Amino acid sequence: MSGANRDREATGNDAVPFGVYVHWPFCLSKCPYCDFNSHVRHAAIDEARYARAFAHEIATTAARVPGRVVSSIFFGGGTPSLIQPQTLATVLDAIARHWTIAPDAEITLEANPTSVEATRFRGYRAAGVNRVSLGVQALDDAALAALGRLHTAQEALNAVAVARGAFERHSFDLIYARPGQEPDAWRAELRRALAEGSEHLSLYQLTIEPDTPFAALHGAGKLVIPDDDLARALYDTTQEVCAAAGRPAYEVSNHARPGAECRHNLLYWRYGEYAGIGPGAHGRLVVAGNRRATATEKRPESWLMRVEGTGHGVITDETLTRDEQADEFLLMGLRLIEGIDPLRYEWLSGRPLDVARIAVLVGDGFVETTPQGRLRVTPSGLPVLDAVVADLAA
Ligand SMILES: C[S@@+](CC[C@H](N)C(=O)[O-])C[C@H]1O[C@@H](n2cnc3c(N)ncnc32)[C@H](O)[C@@H]1O
Ligand code: SF4
C-alpha cells in the first residue's frame, strides 16, 4: 500500500484534513524566554514583497501536492498580528487559488494582546480569519514585566474582549511555573483567566530554552524556576482547575470545551498532512506516496532571496522511513488525551507495538487501552510522557 493510501485509509475518512502553516518571523522585541524563529528589525518590513514571496512559495508547494482541500490555516510567528490585514488577505487569496479552502475551514491567527494590534482584529476577520490565539502569558503585571512582555494584564484582557467581539472563536496562552510562582497564586490567576469564558486555553510550563537570555540567567543562578515537585504541583493544579471549569486537557498543554479543540494543531498531533510556508516553516507532505519532511530557510532575508530566485525556500526535503514515521506518529499522538490507534502504528511501521512493553507501562499505571482499542497515556503518565514514548518507540 502506498504511503498516501496508508495515511488515508488509517484515518478512515474521505475528507482527509490538509493544513497550511504560514510563518511570520518578525516581532517588535524579543522575549527573553523565546526560541521561536522570530526576529526584530528596525527598518520597515516590505510586506508587499513578503506577500509576493508567500504566494510564490504557496504556488510551488501546491504544484507538488495538488488538489488538496484545505481544512485549516494557521498564521504563526513571530507576531503575525503585526501584518496588515491586506497582506494577510493576499496570502489567503493565494492559498485559495492553488488549493481549495473548505467552506468551514478553521483560519487562525496568533496575536500579541496589545491595544494597537486589537485595532486590526476586524480587518483580519474581514480578510477571512475566524479564530485568534492571543499570547496573554500572565495576568500579573510584575510577571509580565519579568517575561519581557510589552503589554499589561489589563491591556491583554481588553484585547481578549475585542477578540471575543470580532471572531467566532478565540484562545489564549498563559505561561506557568514561572519564577516564584506558588500553586495558590496560579490557581487564582487561572480561575481569573477561565472567567473570561474563552473556549480554548494553551497553558505552557515555562521552559528554559538553550541560547536564550533566560538560559544565561538560569545558568548563572539569577533565575530560579520551580523544582520538579513544585512544577508537578502546578501542573496538577492546572488539570484540576481547568477540568472543573469545563475545559479539560485534550493535549498535554491544551485545554478546550469539548468540540472547541484547535483543528489545525489536532492535525499535527494526529499526524496528518500539512504544508509549511514562510521562513523556518516545517511541513509533512505526501508526495508520490511518500511522506516527506520539509523545512525552509529560517533567516527571513535569506528565505526571501531563495523564494525570489527559485520559487521556494525549502532547504530540507527528505522521505521519512517507515520507522521514522511510526516514531513521529507516537511522539505526536500520545500527547493527545484520545491517544493513538495501534493499528495505524502497525500500518506505518510494518510491525505492531511491543505488547510486553505496553504491559509493563500499563502495570506502572502510565498507559491504558480504551474499550475502542486505542492506546493512551494516563494522567499519571502525562507528566513523564517523554520517557513513556521513548520506552514504546525503543
Ligand atoms: C509563537 S509563540 C507566541 C506568539 C506571540 N508572538 C506571542 O508572544 O504572544 C507561542 C506561545 O509559545 C509559548 N512559549 C514561547 N516560549 C516559551 C517558553 N520558553 N516556555 C513556555 N512557553 C513558551 C508562549 O505562551 C507563546 O504564546
Ligand atoms: S514570545 Fe512571541 S512576541 Fe515574544 S519573541 Fe517569541 S514570538 Fe515574539
Side-chain angles (χ1 to χ4, degrees), residues 138-373:
L139 289 179
D140 175 289
D141 286 342
L144 285 169
L147 290 170
R149 301 294 292 181
L150 300 178
H151 52 87
T152 61
Q154 191 52 53
E155 197 176 0
L157 289 173
N158 293 345
V160 171
V162 178
R164 190 183 294 117
F167 300 98
E168 288 88 329
R169 300 173 61 198
H170 72 276
S171 169
F172 63 85
D173 298 354
L174 295 176
I175 296 179
Y176 70 98
R178 306 185 303 252
Q181 198 175 32
E182 292 292 333
D184 282 348
W186 171 229
R187 181 186 305 273
E189 185 176 349
L190 187 51
R191 285 201 175 130
R192 203 171 142 217
L194 287 158
E196 288 298 310
S198 311
E199 59 171 22
H200 187 287
L201 287 108
S202 301
L203 304 169
Y204 300 110
Q205 277 195 39
L206 177 64
T207 309
I208 302 299
E209 301 290 354
D211 303 323
T212 56
F214 266 22
L217 288 171
H218 186 246
K222 294 180 181 158
L223 181 100
V224 180
I225 55 166
D227 63 17
D228 287 352
D229 287 346
L230 181 52
R232 178 63 197 266
L234 291 161
Y235 172 83
D236 290 344
T237 301
T238 310
Q239 306 312 308
E240 173 207 316
V241 173
C242 288
R247 276 146 289 179
Y250 67 98
E251 189 267 351
V252 179
S253 308
N254 283 276
H255 300 253
R257 286 193 208 290
E261 298 84 3
C262 173
R263 277 154 49 196
H264 186 82
N265 286 338
L266 273 181
L267 181 90
Y268 298 152
W269 296 315
R270 289 179 176 160
Y271 207 43
E273 187 182 22
Y274 56 94
I277 305 294
H282 291 249
R284 289 289 180 277
L285 300 174
V286 181
V287 183
N290 294 311
R291 193 171 173 92
R292 298 185 72 88
T294 66
T296 53
E297 163 64 43
K298 285 176 84 171
R299 244 190 91 77
E301 294 76 10
S302 311
W303 172 85
L304 196 57
M305 287 193 321
R306 275 176 184 270
V307 178
E308 288 174 347
T310 66
H312 65 82
V314 173
I315 53 168
T316 305
D317 185 4
E318 296 165 352
T319 294
L320 294 167
T321 65
R322 297 187 78 170
D323 278 346
E324 286 168 340
Q325 292 181 57
D327 285 350
E328 285 193 339
F329 167 66
L330 266 190
L331 194 70
M332 300 304 278
L334 289 177
R335 298 182 65 85
L336 288 171
I337 303 304
E338 68 182 23
I340 58 151
D341 179 355
L343 283 180
R344 186 156 174 227
Y345 179 90
E346 206 171 324
W347 259 312
L348 290 168
S349 74
R351 58 188 156 72
L353 281 163
D354 186 331
V355 281
R357 281 180 200 277
I358 294 178
V360 172
L361 289 167
V362 170
D364 291 339
F366 291 151
V367 302
E368 64 189 7
T369 304
T370 69
Q372 295 74 29

Side-chain angles (χ1 to χ4, degrees), residues 21 23 26-27 31-36 38 76-81 110-113 133-137 149 151 173-176 202-209 212 214:
Y21 175 79
H23 191 79
F26 301 112
C27 292
C31 304
Y33 54 85
C34 176
D35 80 338
F36 281 83
S38 59
T79 307
S81 53
E110 253 176 12
N112 280 28
S133 171
L134 292 149
V136 171
Q137 319 307 3
R149 301 294 292 181
H151 52 87
D173 298 354
L174 295 176
I175 296 179
Y176 70 98
S202 301
L203 304 169
Y204 300 110
Q205 277 195 39
L206 177 64
T207 309
I208 302 299
E209 301 290 354
T212 56
F214 266 22

Side-chain angles (χ1 to χ4, degrees), residues 103-128:
D104 63 347
E106 176 190 271
I107 306 180
T108 304
L109 176 95
E110 253 176 12
N112 280 28
T114 72
S115 50
V116 177
E117 283 155 305
T119 60
R120 286 191 282 268
F121 286 180
R122 294 213 174 269
Y124 296 137
R125 179 65 199 96

Side-chain angles (χ1 to χ4, degrees), residues 52-133:
R52 282 194 297 278
F54 282 121
H56 207 160
E57 193 168 57
I58 288 163
T60 309
T61 311
R64 295 187 77 193
V65 286
R68 301 295 196 265
V69 177
V70 177
S71 48
S72 62
I73 299 170
F74 196 102
F75 290 91
T79 307
S81 53
L82 295 174
I83 314 176
Q84 292 305 317
Q86 182 49 47
T87 308
L88 204 118
T90 308
V91 177
L92 286 173
D93 280 351
I95 296 173
R97 261 201 321 280
H98 297 285
W99 289 299
T100 302
I101 302 183
D104 63 347
E106 176 190 271
I107 306 180
T108 304
L109 176 95
E110 253 176 12
N112 280 28
T114 72
S115 50
V116 177
E117 283 155 305
T119 60
R120 286 191 282 268
F121 286 180
R122 294 213 174 269
Y124 296 137
R125 179 65 199 96
V129 172
N130 52 28
R131 182 177 183 276
V132 73
S133 171

Side-chain angles (χ1 to χ4, degrees), residues 1 5-13 341 343-344 347-348:
M1 192 186 293
N5 287 338
R6 212 168 39 234
D7 272 359
R8 272 149 213 268
E9 200 148 311
T11 63
N13 184 353
D341 179 355
L343 283 180
R344 186 156 174 227
W347 259 312
L348 290 168

